[in-house]
Structures are given as C-alpha cells and as structure tokens.
Amino acid sequence: MGPVSSSGSAFLIIGASVAAAAGYVALNRLPNEDGNARSAERGTAADNTAPEQSSNERTGPPARRRKREVERLRVRVIRRYPHATDAFTQGLLFEQGKLLESTGLRAQSTLREVELASGNVLRRTAVPDNLFAEGLAQVGGDLIQLTWQDEQALVYDRATFQLKKRHRYEGEGWGLCYDGKDLVMSDGTDQLTFRDPDSFAVRRRVSVTLEGQPARDLNELECVRGRVYANIWQREDIVAIDPQTGIVRAVIDARGLLKPEQRHHTDVLNGIAYDPKTKHFFLTGKLWPTLFEVEFVPE
Ligand SMILES: [Ca+2]
C-alpha cells in the first residue's frame, strides 16, 4: 500500500464525509486485494498445508484433524442500539457501560465516549492537526489512538481526554487492541505487529493465515481471551486469530446486520468491542445507524 497521492489528499480534505469515505475506499486499497483475501478465506488449501500442523497431526486420527480446522460461526443479535451516523468508526472499545470510539476522516476525526443504551455522545474531542484517526485501545488509564498514514499514535488520559504524548511509528495504522501485555496493531495487510504499550517499540510481528493463505485487509481489532478478533476490510467477516502463530481459528460470518434500506449513506462494517461481564461483542460500522450487541454461535 503506497502513500496516498497529493491529489487524493486534496480530495479527502475537500470532500464531504460520504465523498471522503468513497475517496478513502478508492485510495486505500488496490482492487485485486479484496479478491485475494476472499480467495484466501474461501480457499481450498488442503489441511496439510497449514503451517502449524506437525507431521504427527497431518497423519493423526481424523478426530484430531477435525479439531484443528477453522471454526465457522455466525452472529446472533441480542440487542440493537443507536449509533451516530456521523461516526466514521475506526476504533471501538467497551468499558463499564460506555463505548470509547475513534472516528476517522481528514479534518473530522474524533475521540468519543458514548453511552451504550442511547448512543448519545457524552464527550468528544477533535483529533489535532488534521490527522486521520484509526484504531483505539486502552492501556490502564490511557487511551491510545492510531492514525492512518500520519505515523503517530496519540496517547490521551482516559479520565480527561487530554492529549498527553505521541508515539511515532512507520507505516500505516489501522486497528489496535491491548491484550494485557502487548498492543496489537494491524496495518491493512496480513501482518499483526506487537508493541510495547509504554514505548510503542515493536516486540514482534506475525503473519496471519487462513487455511495456509495470507489473511489480508485486517482492520479493527479486539483482544479477547487469548484471541485477536479482526474484521476484514470491505467484508462482513470477522476472524479470530491465534496471536502466537497468526493462524485463524474461527471465521465469523457477520453479513446482514443492517437491512438493505439502512445501507444508504453507510460504509463498511468496522468496529469490534467486547464486554467481559456478558461475554457479548459489540459490532458497528462506518456511518452505521445501529450498533449491535451480539454473540458468536455455530453456523
Ligand atoms: Ca476494538
């Protein structure tokens, strides 16, 4: 993914939100990548090409091989909540009845605290310096917000939303979550980067694979109980990744959350948060009118 062109930047700056959303889509992805991702996810790679499998496992009993296959899940909607239709959602997390949300677009990016039940924005702060905000994670009393191509992570005080400091990094920033030890970051490729939560230094990287093929376009993330959940850009699929090996252990089909008549003026599904008390997930999308409380169940 090369840098955005100067004409593309101008378009993003002057465009209205929906037009800018379209520009973001057009500029941010090569057309064949989604096809690659799709073929990877629907790929027919034989089980024995999966890199995690030892020769014992390849030749092991059928029951054991089945256990190693990718689980196929779907979304069961539990509740629906209003979601601000000006929120070009790029990062989402849940904390004690409140959602914390990062919204994107150049010159429109925000950090928000949102009441779950009403969808009301309780607090919002404009992201500085015309940055394009992306993923969001909480580390202790801090919120860390990525930027798309600006190569800086903004660190805010969770209590006051005051900007405390910035970390620099190389490359694009898409999704972010914190697993209690590392910050996990996506950049729109099949790579996850694990970073020191204090210094933002790279600790390690892993390539994510689904049935032996690269799982590209990893976008918004959520770290949940030893898995990294990622929604796939321009898809309504979510993958559950083993962060040690990068192997996708489950694919969740999240299609059809919005009714066709609700799709007007909306962009892609983006935004995963998790409530450890209920073990429910929250899903929404860019400019979506609804946020969904869901659980993942077998297909
Ligand atoms: Ca998240």
Side-chain angles (χ1 to χ4, degrees), residues 195-265:
R195 294 178 178 275
D196 182 296
D198 296 318
S199 69
F200 218 65
V202 174
R203 284 176 167 164
R204 67 186 177 98
R205 290 192 167 92
V206 71
S207 298
V208 177
T209 56
L210 174 60
E211 294 171 337
Q213 301 298 313
R216 300 188 178 91
D217 296 336
L218 303 174
N219 200 358
E220 222 279 289
L221 303 179
E222 190 69 18
C223 296
V224 179
R225 290 179 284 124
R227 290 280 184 266
V228 177
Y229 289 78
N231 61 246
I232 307 294
W233 190 71
Q234 288 196 315
R235 301 282 308 272
E236 299 202 335
D237 280 342
I238 294 162
V239 291
I241 303 159
D242 178 334
Q244 295 308 314
T245 61
I247 292 167
V248 171
R249 295 300 186 194
V251 176
I252 300 104
D253 180 349
R255 286 176 296 179
L257 286 171
L258 288 185
K259 298 180 190 125
E261 62 268 26
Q262 293 179 301
R263 299 294 324 210
H264 299 301
H265 308 300

Side-chain angles (χ1 to χ4, degrees), residues 4-15:
V4 68
S5 69
S6 57
S7 61
S9 296
F11 177 67
L12 281 174
I13 289 164
I14 62 176

Side-chain angles (χ1 to χ4, degrees), residues 137-146 153-156 164-169 176-185 193-204 223:
Q138 181 165 0
V139 179
D142 290 343
L143 293 170
I144 303 178
Q145 183 180 42
L146 296 180
L154 309 175
V155 182
Y156 302 86
K164 293 167 63 176
K165 61 181 175 183
R166 305 176 194 222
H167 298 297
R168 295 278 169 179
Y169 57 86
L176 192 69
C177 67
Y178 179 56
D179 67 6
K181 180 166 146 281
D182 297 322
L183 281 166
V184 186
M185 177 172 163
T193 302
F194 297 79
R195 294 178 178 275
D196 182 296
D198 296 318
S199 69
F200 218 65
V202 174
R203 284 176 167 164
R204 67 186 177 98
C223 296

Side-chain angles (χ1 to χ4, degrees), residues 109-162:
S109 293
T110 65
L111 172 65
R112 304 172 178 207
E113 183 173 343
V114 177
E115 186 177 61
L116 173 66
S118 66
N120 290 337
V121 178
L122 303 173
R123 187 158 33 153
R124 77 188 263 162
T125 188
V127 169
D129 297 346
N130 208 19
L131 302 175
F132 193 125
E134 285 274 347
L136 183 71
Q138 181 165 0
V139 179
D142 290 343
L143 293 170
I144 303 178
Q145 183 180 42
L146 296 180
T147 53
W148 175 32
Q149 294 179 317
D150 304 298
E151 300 191 322
Q152 47 185 300
L154 309 175
V155 182
Y156 302 86
D157 184 289
R158 163 69 183 89
T160 64
F161 273 27
Q162 287 288 315

